[in-house]
Amino acid sequence: MSNRRVRVRFAPSPTGPLHMGGVRTALYNYLFAKKHGGDFILRVEDTDQTRLVSSAEQYIIDALNWCGISPDEGQSVGGNFGPYRQSDRKHLYRDYADKLIASGHAYYAFDTAEDLDRVRVMAKKAGTPNWQYNNITRSQMKNSLTLPEAETKARLEAGEPYVIRIKLPRNEEVKFEDLIRGWVSVNTNNMDDKVLFKSDGMPTYHLANIVDDHLMEISHVIRGEEWLPSAPLHILLYQYFGWESTRPQFAHLPLLLKPDGNGKLSKRDGDRLGFPVFPLQWTDPETGNISSGYREQGYFKEAFVNMLAFLGWNPGTEQELFSLNDLIESFSLERVNKAGAKYDHDKTKWFNQQYLRNYSDAQLADLLLPTLEKNQISATPAFVEGVVALIKERAYFVEDIFTEGAYLFSAPSEYDEKTLKKKWNADARAHVENLAELFANLSSFTAEDLENCFKNYLEAKETGFGKVGPGFRLAVTGKGMGPSMFEICALLGKEETLKRMQHSLEKLPA
RNA sequence: GGCCCCUUCGUCUAUCGGUUAGGACGCCAGGUUUUCAUCCUGGAAAGAGGAGUUCGAUUCUCCUAGGGGCUGCCA
């Protein structure tokens, strides 16, 4: 058992886009697999045909690929344990359900959905809020345990719809050791006879999940805490199938919580609180609604992954910046927290800023190209790199470099009103005029030259930086704030700088 | 309501019986900067409450409270 090859699976249901909680579950599975030299499998659990969203499966694959945590096995990449889509495995499950019936651990139930609704409503009226189909109530229902054998047989042969339910024992303690939570135990009296096989011929999650994990030789089931309540049921299934010796170990992850109010982060929270909940942008195929994604918002996948990894896990050191390889090296389930974690968007932005700074100017210039193209701006690579160097430390996103430094690419068409009002006067105008003249005579136009020239001017005029600087900046950039003016002018070059200064004198009030 | 899980600064977290309870984000103040951003320095900020075990509990146990999950022929 301990020598068993590590094989983990991420098993989403393709009912929509994967949200960041799902991505984190996938990430932890991936990290655990890679840490132990094992396999990371993507299994699509599409047993609920009514909730299926056709484009969801591809979205899930795209999202994992973007994050750099592509599966080793799956429908799209192949593998020796396929098919990896449960609807393609449909033929497999019935036999297992039958085995359970044969061994007395499951039974046929003929109660219709309407029957069950009625019973639940009545029970509620009688003061029982959650009626369950269990080892007591099943005696009053229509199933192969209560019906005469001949009638069961007749109904089956007549093609009457039925489901197969697990038959839980009375008053039995089910215990298992969770890798994150330790011993968890539940009494079967508090569990119900879950449906294993639906009337549409599909297995439910519970059956398909156990059968597939077994067949695919899964060694560790790492999934969200929402599955903790049904884990005992799964334990029992392994027991009834006689698969206890190869039963995977369980690890139930803490949930990602909404930053405001209560509850777990859900798909419906997309953009509601001013941040995406999806890794990639998603267009709802029915409504056409678009939900934003981290990728399209300009987040680096490294930052996104790093941030997600830290929501529920930490290395125990003070290091916070981890590449995917660093994460693989450091990850362990023992260091995963038990309590749910609230998502913090500020921290996510901070992570992105950190990664942005780790890129070289040349790399960032490259990344900026599409944005420039979109805005129909052409500039030499050297110039773009110069802009990056000047602006990058005030940027969180690549795109910020453009929005913050737009005035470097094209001369200002408007001038900041506040600065205009406060700093532009006859003196400022005269200073710009004088400086333009001095600059025109410079043979070398480096930041250093400009600074010297500027400072000499200040001395000559016996004035301070504060009297001249703001007007000068306004004239050249149209802004009231920004990086060093000397750096800016040096980057723009003599011709452009002078042109802008002249232009401002014509355009700004006298 | 029932069952299960959880509980350290606002948030993410460190601490595996003895610490001035540490770090990060955010926030505030000061410094650097012509300005803004960056950067630097500093600051405010936490063991839910109550019992017990122990020489000693944030750490172990129990109770209470609070939070979360589940309670479907959904996953």
Side-chain angles (χ1 to χ4, degrees), chain A residues 3-22:
Chain A
N3 289 332
R4 197 143 67 117
R5 180 172 180 82
V6 168
R7 287 175 56 79
V8 299
R9 85 296 194 281
F10 176 55
S13 175
T15 56
L18 194 59
H19 83 336
M20 54 200 287

Side-chain angles (χ1 to χ4, degrees), chain A residues 11-230:
Chain A
S13 175
T15 56
L18 194 59
H19 83 336
M20 54 200 287
V23 178
R24 193 203 51 173
T25 301
L27 174 64
Y28 284 11
N29 271 282
Y30 175 88
L31 295 176
F32 185 78
K34 295 304 146 192
K35 168 90 182 181
H36 295 98
D39 308 315
F40 173 55
I41 293 139
L42 174 65
R43 186 175 70 223
V44 174
E45 309 222 329
D46 56 349
T47 51
D48 184 357
Q49 296 290 309
T50 63
R51 293 203 309 153
L52 200 71
V53 174
S54 57
S55 48
E57 186 177 330
Q58 189 57 46
Y59 179 96
I60 291 165
I61 293 167
D62 293 343
L64 297 183
N65 287 344
W66 179 61
C67 293
I69 53 174
S70 306
D72 301 306
E73 292 175 31
Q75 201 57 46
S76 57
V77 287
N80 297 325
F81 296 81
Y84 294 91
R85 196 185 285 131
Q86 287 184 331
S87 57
D88 294 337
R89 303 169 67 79
K90 185 176 175 183
H91 58 281
L92 240 97
Y93 304 110
R94 179 59 205 237
D95 282 351
Y96 290 96
D98 285 342
K99 272 183 200 165
L100 255 20
I101 289 179
S103 62
H105 290 301
Y107 58 93
Y108 300 103
F110 299 99
D111 320 274
T112 64
E114 294 73 40
D115 289 341
L116 294 171
D117 275 350
R118 213 171 310 128
V119 176
R120 288 198 175 100
V121 168
M122 272 167 56
K124 200 165 198 172
K125 274 186 191 158
T128 311
N130 69 322
W131 180 88
Q132 296 197 309
Y133 206 117
N134 60 25
N135 48 44
I136 292 177
T137 60
R138 68 178 169 230
S139 65
Q140 281 134 41
M141 306 302 288
K142 280 183 289 180
N143 53 56
S144 56
L145 264 21
T146 59
L147 264 20
E149 206 179 318
E151 185 177 342
T152 296
K153 206 176 163 204
R155 283 175 183 250
L156 255 25
E157 275 166 9
E160 198 173 307
Y162 64 90
V163 300
I164 297 173
R165 287 180 181 272
I166 189 167
K167 184 183 171 195
L168 290 186
R170 177 114 189 104
N171 196 27
E172 211 173 88
E173 210 62 38
V174 185
K175 288 198 289 192
F176 73 98
E177 193 173 14
D178 187 276
L179 259 17
I180 292 169
R181 282 148 216 287
W183 285 98
V184 175
S185 99
V186 181
N187 191 292
T188 52
N189 288 353
N190 295 315
M191 297 164 63
D192 60 342
D193 288 354
K194 280 268 179 309
V195 171
L196 300 177
F197 201 85
K198 301 187 267 190
S199 58
D200 67 356
M202 276 293 211
T204 59
Y205 170 87
H206 304 292
L207 210 222
N209 190 266
I210 269 61
V211 168
D212 287 344
D213 281 348
H214 173 71
L215 260 24
M216 294 182 181
E217 297 178 13
I218 298 301
S219 63
H220 300 263
V221 170
I222 303 169
R223 69 214 321 183
E225 192 187 352
E226 70 266 29
W227 293 108
L228 197 52
S230 50

Side-chain angles (χ1 to χ4, degrees), chain A residues 459-475:
Chain A
E459 245 176 73
K461 290 281 172 189
E462 291 182 339
T463 186
F465 220 134
K467 296 277 186 229
V468 186
F472 175 42
R473 177 182 297 282
L474 185 73

Side-chain angles (χ1 to χ4, degrees), chain A residues 236-254:
Chain A
L236 248 20
L237 282 169
Y238 279 103
Q239 192 182 311
Y240 296 160
F241 279 125
W243 297 337
E244 282 167 299
S245 63
T246 56
R247 192 191 82 199
Q249 290 196 270
F250 290 96
H252 289 92
L253 267 21

